Amino acid sequence: MSARPLILVTNDDGITAPGIRMLISVMNKIGDVVVVAPDSPQSAMGHAITLNSTLHMEKITVDGKQPEYSCSGTPADCVKLAVNEILERRPDICVSGINHGSNSSINVIYSGTMSAALEAGIESIPAIGFSLLDYNWNANFEHCTSFVETITRQVLENGLPDGVVLNVNLPNLEKDAIKGIKICRQARANWKEEFDKRTNPMGRDYYWLSGKFVNMDNGEDTDEWALEHGYVSVVPVHFDLTAHHAIQNLNTWKLNN
């Protein structure tokens, strides 16, 4: 691209999270950055949007000279507001993250990080969600910046199929220990949930959700395999949830009397 691209940056951990601050610094090398991100953590919000309450947005300065807007809504709200109210033109790319923690496999369904990227995809904007396999607020993101930059530049250069966004997960390893980047499929896995039931001083029961991640997929072409073996995983995902392979079978059912 001859001119510097316009890059929309968002996340779900909040606008001051170390992950998004690192992502902003990388994107400033590539193009002109505008940040629209939640004013507080919005992890595991999925594709929620705000309908029954008002949205608030404030222009703030955190660091650097890029325009930044703190939003009271969800990650998907942030993208909607950016496209419809803030940006003077459509961004060339939207990047979301860098998330504190994994969004591989089934986690993509619950992820606010990836929902922001998917919202951009709905708007036909090329988009990437970046996540680091470290839930620590003070996680070290330095070792993954070169991979973030490489993948972003490749998307800007080559584009993405319409409706497709990238789910990128980065192993929590030193840079020299990361073996490379693998294009993968989403592993078949889920969470085996457990609820810790307790009772408050007023005698009312309440619950804390916990659980164990269970990978049921033995394939060597999955994101979970790649991450376990020291690779950055890149999974193309889309928002069309149609199970196309099931249509032919369903058409054999006797549905019409």
mmCIF file of all heavy atoms in Angstrom, residues 14-56:
data_model
loop_
_atom_site.group_PDB
_atom_site.id
_atom_site.type_symbol
_atom_site.label_atom_id
_atom_site.label_comp_id
_atom_site.label_asym_id
_atom_site.label_seq_id
_atom_site.Cartn_x
_atom_site.Cartn_y
_atom_site.Cartn_z
ATOM 1 N N GLY A 14 -9.684 -3.980 28.268
ATOM 2 C CA GLY A 14 -9.730 -2.591 28.685
ATOM 3 C C GLY A 14 -8.622 -1.777 28.043
ATOM 4 O O GLY A 14 -7.539 -2.282 27.729
ATOM 5 N N ILE A 15 -8.867 -0.504 27.874
ATOM 6 C CA ILE A 15 -7.994 0.359 27.081
ATOM 7 C C ILE A 15 -6.613 0.568 27.711
ATOM 8 O O ILE A 15 -5.652 0.900 27.013
ATOM 9 C CB ILE A 15 -8.695 1.712 26.817
ATOM 10 C CG1 ILE A 15 -8.021 2.469 25.663
ATOM 11 C CG2 ILE A 15 -8.769 2.551 28.093
ATOM 12 C CD1 ILE A 15 -8.846 3.610 25.121
ATOM 13 N N THR A 16 -6.481 0.352 29.013
ATOM 14 C CA THR A 16 -5.183 0.533 29.663
ATOM 15 C C THR A 16 -4.419 -0.778 29.849
ATOM 16 O O THR A 16 -3.329 -0.773 30.411
ATOM 17 C CB THR A 16 -5.349 1.197 31.045
ATOM 18 O OG1 THR A 16 -6.161 0.361 31.883
ATOM 19 C CG2 THR A 16 -5.990 2.571 30.910
ATOM 20 N N ALA A 17 -4.963 -1.889 29.385
ATOM 21 C CA ALA A 17 -4.308 -3.185 29.579
ATOM 22 C C ALA A 17 -2.955 -3.225 28.874
ATOM 23 O O ALA A 17 -2.805 -2.682 27.771
ATOM 24 C CB ALA A 17 -5.197 -4.309 29.057
ATOM 25 N N PRO A 18 -1.959 -3.872 29.461
ATOM 26 C CA PRO A 18 -0.641 -3.946 28.824
ATOM 27 C C PRO A 18 -0.675 -4.555 27.423
ATOM 28 O O PRO A 18 0.097 -4.156 26.557
ATOM 29 C CB PRO A 18 0.157 -4.829 29.796
ATOM 30 C CG PRO A 18 -0.485 -4.598 31.131
ATOM 31 C CD PRO A 18 -1.943 -4.443 30.836
ATOM 32 N N GLY A 19 -1.574 -5.514 27.192
ATOM 33 C CA GLY A 19 -1.632 -6.152 25.885
ATOM 34 C C GLY A 19 -1.986 -5.191 24.772
ATOM 35 O O GLY A 19 -1.360 -5.190 23.705
ATOM 36 N N ILE A 20 -3.004 -4.354 24.987
ATOM 37 C CA ILE A 20 -3.383 -3.409 23.937
ATOM 38 C C ILE A 20 -2.339 -2.308 23.786
ATOM 39 O O ILE A 20 -2.091 -1.820 22.684
ATOM 40 C CB ILE A 20 -4.788 -2.803 24.193
ATOM 41 C CG1 ILE A 20 -5.285 -2.113 22.909
ATOM 42 C CG2 ILE A 20 -4.793 -1.855 25.372
ATOM 43 C CD1 ILE A 20 -6.722 -1.624 22.999
ATOM 44 N N ARG A 21 -1.676 -1.937 24.893
ATOM 45 C CA ARG A 21 -0.638 -0.905 24.784
ATOM 46 C C ARG A 21 0.504 -1.402 23.902
ATOM 47 O O ARG A 21 1.066 -0.658 23.093
ATOM 48 C CB ARG A 21 -0.118 -0.495 26.153
ATOM 49 C CG ARG A 21 -1.121 -0.029 27.181
ATOM 50 C CD ARG A 21 -2.274 0.796 26.657
ATOM 51 N NE ARG A 21 -1.865 2.010 25.947
ATOM 52 C CZ ARG A 21 -2.710 2.848 25.381
ATOM 53 N NH1 ARG A 21 -4.011 2.609 25.411
ATOM 54 N NH2 ARG A 21 -2.280 3.917 24.758
ATOM 55 N N MET A 22 0.851 -2.706 24.041
ATOM 56 C CA MET A 22 1.895 -3.267 23.183
ATOM 57 C C MET A 22 1.419 -3.348 21.745
ATOM 58 O O MET A 22 2.168 -3.045 20.810
ATOM 59 C CB MET A 22 2.295 -4.654 23.690
ATOM 60 C CG MET A 22 3.398 -5.322 22.873
ATOM 61 S SD MET A 22 4.938 -4.358 22.851
ATOM 62 C CE MET A 22 5.487 -4.620 24.549
ATOM 63 N N LEU A 23 0.159 -3.744 21.544
ATOM 64 C CA LEU A 23 -0.381 -3.831 20.184
ATOM 65 C C LEU A 23 -0.372 -2.470 19.504
ATOM 66 O O LEU A 23 -0.028 -2.353 18.326
ATOM 67 C CB LEU A 23 -1.804 -4.391 20.236
ATOM 68 C CG LEU A 23 -2.484 -4.661 18.893
ATOM 69 C CD1 LEU A 23 -1.700 -5.659 18.055
ATOM 70 C CD2 LEU A 23 -3.913 -5.161 19.111
ATOM 71 N N ILE A 24 -0.717 -1.437 20.237
ATOM 72 C CA ILE A 24 -0.696 -0.081 19.689
ATOM 73 C C ILE A 24 0.709 0.296 19.241
ATOM 74 O O ILE A 24 0.903 0.866 18.159
ATOM 75 C CB ILE A 24 -1.229 0.928 20.726
ATOM 76 C CG1 ILE A 24 -2.723 0.707 20.958
ATOM 77 C CG2 ILE A 24 -0.968 2.361 20.286
ATOM 78 C CD1 ILE A 24 -3.257 1.395 22.196
ATOM 79 N N SER A 25 1.701 -0.025 20.056
ATOM 80 C CA SER A 25 3.078 0.331 19.705
ATOM 81 C C SER A 25 3.532 -0.369 18.430
ATOM 82 O O SER A 25 4.256 0.215 17.614
ATOM 83 C CB SER A 25 4.022 -0.001 20.864
ATOM 84 O OG SER A 25 4.164 -1.401 21.036
ATOM 85 N N VAL A 26 3.096 -1.609 18.233
ATOM 86 C CA VAL A 26 3.446 -2.323 17.004
ATOM 87 C C VAL A 26 2.721 -1.712 15.813
ATOM 88 O O VAL A 26 3.312 -1.502 14.745
ATOM 89 C CB VAL A 26 3.100 -3.823 17.129
ATOM 90 C CG1 VAL A 26 3.346 -4.546 15.814
ATOM 91 C CG2 VAL A 26 3.916 -4.472 18.244
ATOM 92 N N MET A 27 1.432 -1.416 15.978
ATOM 93 C CA MET A 27 0.653 -0.874 14.863
ATOM 94 C C MET A 27 1.129 0.512 14.444
ATOM 95 O O MET A 27 1.005 0.893 13.277
ATOM 96 C CB MET A 27 -0.830 -0.830 15.240
ATOM 97 C CG MET A 27 -1.471 -2.193 15.399
ATOM 98 S SD MET A 27 -1.319 -3.263 13.941
ATOM 99 C CE MET A 27 -0.321 -4.603 14.621
ATOM 100 N N ASN A 28 1.696 1.279 15.381
ATOM 101 C CA ASN A 28 2.222 2.599 15.022
ATOM 102 C C ASN A 28 3.388 2.514 14.044
ATOM 103 O O ASN A 28 3.682 3.487 13.340
ATOM 104 C CB ASN A 28 2.649 3.350 16.287
ATOM 105 C CG ASN A 28 1.488 4.062 16.954
ATOM 106 O OD1 ASN A 28 0.566 4.535 16.291
ATOM 107 N ND2 ASN A 28 1.518 4.144 18.279
ATOM 108 N N LYS A 29 4.045 1.356 13.981
ATOM 109 C CA LYS A 29 5.103 1.157 12.992
ATOM 110 C C LYS A 29 4.536 0.953 11.595
ATOM 111 O O LYS A 29 5.231 1.166 10.598
ATOM 112 C CB LYS A 29 5.947 -0.075 13.346
ATOM 113 C CG LYS A 29 6.626 -0.054 14.692
ATOM 114 C CD LYS A 29 7.355 -1.372 14.905
ATOM 115 C CE LYS A 29 7.942 -1.485 16.297
ATOM 116 N NZ LYS A 29 8.591 -2.819 16.499
ATOM 117 N N ILE A 30 3.285 0.527 11.540
ATOM 118 C CA ILE A 30 2.704 0.081 10.276
ATOM 119 C C ILE A 30 1.800 1.127 9.651
ATOM 120 O O ILE A 30 1.780 1.295 8.424
ATOM 121 C CB ILE A 30 1.897 -1.222 10.508
ATOM 122 C CG1 ILE A 30 2.820 -2.328 11.038
ATOM 123 C CG2 ILE A 30 1.202 -1.680 9.224
ATOM 124 C CD1 ILE A 30 2.084 -3.586 11.463
ATOM 125 N N GLY A 31 1.040 1.840 10.462
ATOM 126 C CA GLY A 31 0.065 2.770 9.891
ATOM 127 C C GLY A 31 -0.393 3.811 10.889
ATOM 128 O O GLY A 31 0.222 4.027 11.936
ATOM 129 N N ASP A 32 -1.495 4.470 10.540
ATOM 130 C CA ASP A 32 -2.108 5.482 11.393
ATOM 131 C C ASP A 32 -3.151 4.808 12.277
ATOM 132 O O ASP A 32 -4.099 4.203 11.779
ATOM 133 C CB ASP A 32 -2.751 6.575 10.535
ATOM 134 C CG ASP A 32 -1.722 7.315 9.691
ATOM 135 O OD1 ASP A 32 -0.585 7.492 10.168
ATOM 136 O OD2 ASP A 32 -2.054 7.707 8.555
ATOM 137 N N VAL A 33 -2.974 4.944 13.570
ATOM 138 C CA VAL A 33 -3.749 4.177 14.541
ATOM 139 C C VAL A 33 -4.845 5.024 15.171
ATOM 140 O O VAL A 33 -4.626 6.181 15.534
ATOM 141 C CB VAL A 33 -2.810 3.630 15.646
ATOM 142 C CG1 VAL A 33 -3.602 3.010 16.785
ATOM 143 C CG2 VAL A 33 -1.833 2.623 15.055
ATOM 144 N N VAL A 34 -6.022 4.422 15.282
ATOM 145 C CA VAL A 34 -7.100 4.968 16.105
ATOM 146 C C VAL A 34 -7.538 3.854 17.050
ATOM 147 O O VAL A 34 -7.790 2.725 16.630
ATOM 148 C CB VAL A 34 -8.294 5.441 15.263
ATOM 149 C CG1 VAL A 34 -9.419 5.939 16.172
ATOM 150 C CG2 VAL A 34 -7.876 6.532 14.287
ATOM 151 N N VAL A 35 -7.618 4.178 18.339
ATOM 152 C CA VAL A 35 -7.972 3.193 19.360
ATOM 153 C C VAL A 35 -9.381 3.464 19.860
ATOM 154 O O VAL A 35 -9.704 4.590 20.242
ATOM 155 C CB VAL A 35 -6.986 3.256 20.549
ATOM 156 C CG1 VAL A 35 -7.344 2.203 21.597
ATOM 157 C CG2 VAL A 35 -5.555 3.080 20.065
ATOM 158 N N VAL A 36 -10.214 2.431 19.838
ATOM 159 C CA VAL A 36 -11.540 2.488 20.470
ATOM 160 C C VAL A 36 -11.674 1.197 21.261
ATOM 161 O O VAL A 36 -11.772 0.108 20.681
ATOM 162 C CB VAL A 36 -12.683 2.606 19.445
ATOM 163 C CG1 VAL A 36 -14.015 2.778 20.175
ATOM 164 C CG2 VAL A 36 -12.438 3.764 18.485
ATOM 165 N N ALA A 37 -11.664 1.308 22.577
ATOM 166 C CA ALA A 37 -11.609 0.112 23.417
ATOM 167 C C ALA A 37 -12.426 0.311 24.683
ATOM 168 O O ALA A 37 -12.707 1.453 25.093
ATOM 169 C CB ALA A 37 -10.157 -0.217 23.770
ATOM 170 N N PRO A 38 -12.814 -0.788 25.343
ATOM 171 C CA PRO A 38 -13.631 -0.671 26.555
ATOM 172 C C PRO A 38 -12.909 0.056 27.684
ATOM 173 O O PRO A 38 -11.684 -0.031 27.817
ATOM 174 C CB PRO A 38 -13.897 -2.135 26.935
ATOM 175 C CG PRO A 38 -13.705 -2.912 25.681
ATOM 176 C CD PRO A 38 -12.614 -2.199 24.942
ATOM 177 N N ASP A 39 -13.685 0.742 28.503
ATOM 178 C CA ASP A 39 -13.083 1.477 29.623
ATOM 179 C C ASP A 39 -12.768 0.568 30.809
ATOM 180 O O ASP A 39 -12.121 0.989 31.760
ATOM 181 C CB ASP A 39 -13.996 2.628 30.066
ATOM 182 C CG ASP A 39 -15.394 2.168 30.498
ATOM 183 O OD1 ASP A 39 -15.606 0.941 30.646
ATOM 184 O OD2 ASP A 39 -16.273 3.040 30.661
ATOM 185 N N SER A 40 -13.213 -0.693 30.735
ATOM 186 C CA SER A 40 -12.932 -1.665 31.796
ATOM 187 C C SER A 40 -12.931 -3.063 31.174
ATOM 188 O O SER A 40 -13.408 -3.240 30.045
ATOM 189 C CB SER A 40 -13.989 -1.573 32.904
ATOM 190 O OG SER A 40 -15.279 -1.822 32.381
ATOM 191 N N PRO A 41 -12.413 -4.068 31.871
ATOM 192 C CA PRO A 41 -12.339 -5.408 31.288
ATOM 193 C C PRO A 41 -13.708 -5.953 30.866
ATOM 194 O O PRO A 41 -14.694 -5.813 31.584
ATOM 195 C CB PRO A 41 -11.737 -6.251 32.417
ATOM 196 C CG PRO A 41 -10.923 -5.273 33.207
ATOM 197 C CD PRO A 41 -11.714 -3.998 33.167
ATOM 198 N N GLN A 42 -13.731 -6.566 29.681
ATOM 199 C CA GLN A 42 -14.956 -7.134 29.119
ATOM 200 C C GLN A 42 -14.702 -8.560 28.627
ATOM 201 O O GLN A 42 -15.257 -8.993 27.614
ATOM 202 C CB GLN A 42 -15.448 -6.268 27.951
ATOM 203 C CG GLN A 42 -15.826 -4.861 28.324
ATOM 204 C CD GLN A 42 -17.202 -4.785 28.977
ATOM 205 O OE1 GLN A 42 -18.059 -5.618 28.728
ATOM 206 N NE2 GLN A 42 -17.400 -3.797 29.825
ATOM 207 N N SER A 43 -13.848 -9.286 29.334
ATOM 208 C CA SER A 43 -13.501 -10.645 28.922
ATOM 209 C C SER A 43 -14.728 -11.554 28.935
ATOM 210 O O SER A 43 -15.626 -11.407 29.768
ATOM 211 C CB SER A 43 -12.434 -11.227 29.854
ATOM 212 O OG SER A 43 -11.240 -10.489 29.748
ATOM 213 N N ALA A 44 -14.733 -12.506 28.004
ATOM 214 C CA ALA A 44 -15.782 -13.523 27.885
ATOM 215 C C ALA A 44 -17.160 -12.922 27.640
ATOM 216 O O ALA A 44 -18.177 -13.540 27.943
ATOM 217 C CB ALA A 44 -15.812 -14.427 29.117
ATOM 218 N N MET A 45 -17.196 -11.742 27.040
ATOM 219 C CA MET A 45 -18.475 -11.125 26.715
ATOM 220 C C MET A 45 -19.043 -11.672 25.408
ATOM 221 O O MET A 45 -20.188 -11.380 25.068
ATOM 222 C CB MET A 45 -18.312 -9.603 26.601
ATOM 223 C CG MET A 45 -18.110 -8.909 27.921
ATOM 224 S SD MET A 45 -19.515 -9.085 29.042
ATOM 225 C CE MET A 45 -20.739 -8.104 28.198
ATOM 226 N N GLY A 46 -18.249 -12.450 24.675
ATOM 227 C CA GLY A 46 -18.736 -12.949 23.403
ATOM 228 C C GLY A 46 -19.100 -11.792 22.487
ATOM 229 O O GLY A 46 -18.441 -10.758 22.484
ATOM 230 N N HIS A 47 -20.200 -11.952 21.738
ATOM 231 C CA HIS A 47 -20.587 -10.918 20.781
ATOM 232 C C HIS A 47 -21.710 -10.038 21.333
ATOM 233 O O HIS A 47 -22.560 -9.537 20.575
ATOM 234 C CB HIS A 47 -21.012 -11.548 19.456
ATOM 235 C CG HIS A 47 -20.670 -10.696 18.278
ATOM 236 N ND1 HIS A 47 -19.640 -10.981 17.410
ATOM 237 C CD2 HIS A 47 -21.194 -9.534 17.831
ATOM 238 C CE1 HIS A 47 -19.567 -10.051 16.486
ATOM 239 N NE2 HIS A 47 -20.505 -9.154 16.721
ATOM 240 N N ALA A 48 -21.714 -9.852 22.634
ATOM 241 C CA ALA A 48 -22.745 -9.022 23.252
ATOM 242 C C ALA A 48 -22.670 -7.587 22.754
ATOM 243 O O ALA A 48 -21.585 -7.054 22.494
ATOM 244 C CB ALA A 48 -22.593 -9.051 24.772
ATOM 245 N N ILE A 49 -23.838 -6.976 22.594
ATOM 246 C CA ILE A 49 -23.915 -5.551 22.277
ATOM 247 C C ILE A 49 -24.869 -4.888 23.265
ATOM 248 O O ILE A 49 -25.695 -5.541 23.886
ATOM 249 C CB ILE A 49 -24.374 -5.288 20.831
ATOM 250 C CG1 ILE A 49 -25.737 -5.947 20.557
ATOM 251 C CG2 ILE A 49 -23.323 -5.778 19.844
ATOM 252 C CD1 ILE A 49 -26.318 -5.614 19.189
ATOM 253 N N THR A 50 -24.738 -3.580 23.414
ATOM 254 C CA THR A 50 -25.522 -2.839 24.399
ATOM 255 C C THR A 50 -26.812 -2.336 23.772
ATOM 256 O O THR A 50 -26.786 -1.547 22.828
ATOM 257 C CB THR A 50 -24.706 -1.654 24.941
ATOM 258 O OG1 THR A 50 -23.498 -2.153 25.517
ATOM 259 C CG2 THR A 50 -25.492 -0.881 25.986
ATOM 260 N N LEU A 51 -27.952 -2.812 24.298
ATOM 261 C CA LEU A 51 -29.256 -2.407 23.778
ATOM 262 C C LEU A 51 -30.121 -1.729 24.834
ATOM 263 O O LEU A 51 -30.918 -0.850 24.509
ATOM 264 C CB LEU A 51 -30.013 -3.631 23.233
ATOM 265 C CG LEU A 51 -29.440 -4.305 21.988
ATOM 266 C CD1 LEU A 51 -30.289 -5.525 21.644
ATOM 267 C CD2 LEU A 51 -29.404 -3.340 20.813
ATOM 268 N N ASN A 52 -30.005 -2.134 26.091
ATOM 269 C CA ASN A 52 -30.937 -1.682 27.118
ATOM 270 C C ASN A 52 -30.369 -0.628 28.055
ATOM 271 O O ASN A 52 -30.957 -0.342 29.104
ATOM 272 C CB ASN A 52 -31.431 -2.888 27.930
ATOM 273 C CG ASN A 52 -32.214 -3.859 27.072
ATOM 274 O OD1 ASN A 52 -33.030 -3.448 26.251
ATOM 275 N ND2 ASN A 52 -31.955 -5.147 27.236
ATOM 276 N N SER A 53 -29.218 -0.085 27.699
ATOM 277 C CA SER A 53 -28.660 1.026 28.464
ATOM 278 C C SER A 53 -27.882 1.919 27.514
ATOM 279 O O SER A 53 -27.642 1.559 26.358
ATOM 280 C CB SER A 53 -27.753 0.513 29.596
ATOM 281 O OG SER A 53 -26.670 -0.231 29.065
ATOM 282 N N THR A 54 -27.505 3.080 27.990
ATOM 283 C CA THR A 54 -26.809 4.042 27.140
ATOM 284 C C THR A 54 -25.328 3.693 27.024
ATOM 285 O O THR A 54 -24.754 3.035 27.889
ATOM 286 C CB THR A 54 -26.945 5.463 27.709
ATOM 287 O OG1 THR A 54 -26.466 5.460 29.059
ATOM 288 C CG2 THR A 54 -28.388 5.908 27.684
ATOM 289 N N LEU A 55 -24.739 4.137 25.937
ATOM 290 C CA LEU A 55 -23.299 3.995 25.720
ATOM 291 C C LEU A 55 -22.637 5.349 25.902
ATOM 292 O O LEU A 55 -23.170 6.377 25.470
ATOM 293 C CB LEU A 55 -23.017 3.478 24.301
ATOM 294 C CG LEU A 55 -23.234 1.994 24.046
ATOM 295 C CD1 LEU A 55 -23.198 1.711 22.550
ATOM 296 C CD2 LEU A 55 -22.176 1.177 24.766
ATOM 297 N N HIS A 56 -21.465 5.322 26.525
ATOM 298 C CA HIS A 56 -20.700 6.557 26.721
ATOM 299 C C HIS A 56 -19.312 6.377 26.123
ATOM 300 O O HIS A 56 -18.743 5.279 26.157
ATOM 301 C CB HIS A 56 -20.589 6.897 28.207
ATOM 302 C CG HIS A 56 -21.912 7.080 28.874
ATOM 303 N ND1 HIS A 56 -22.594 8.269 28.860
ATOM 304 C CD2 HIS A 56 -22.696 6.208 29.561
ATOM 305 C CE1 HIS A 56 -23.726 8.135 29.506
ATOM 306 N NE2 HIS A 56 -23.821 6.894 29.943
#
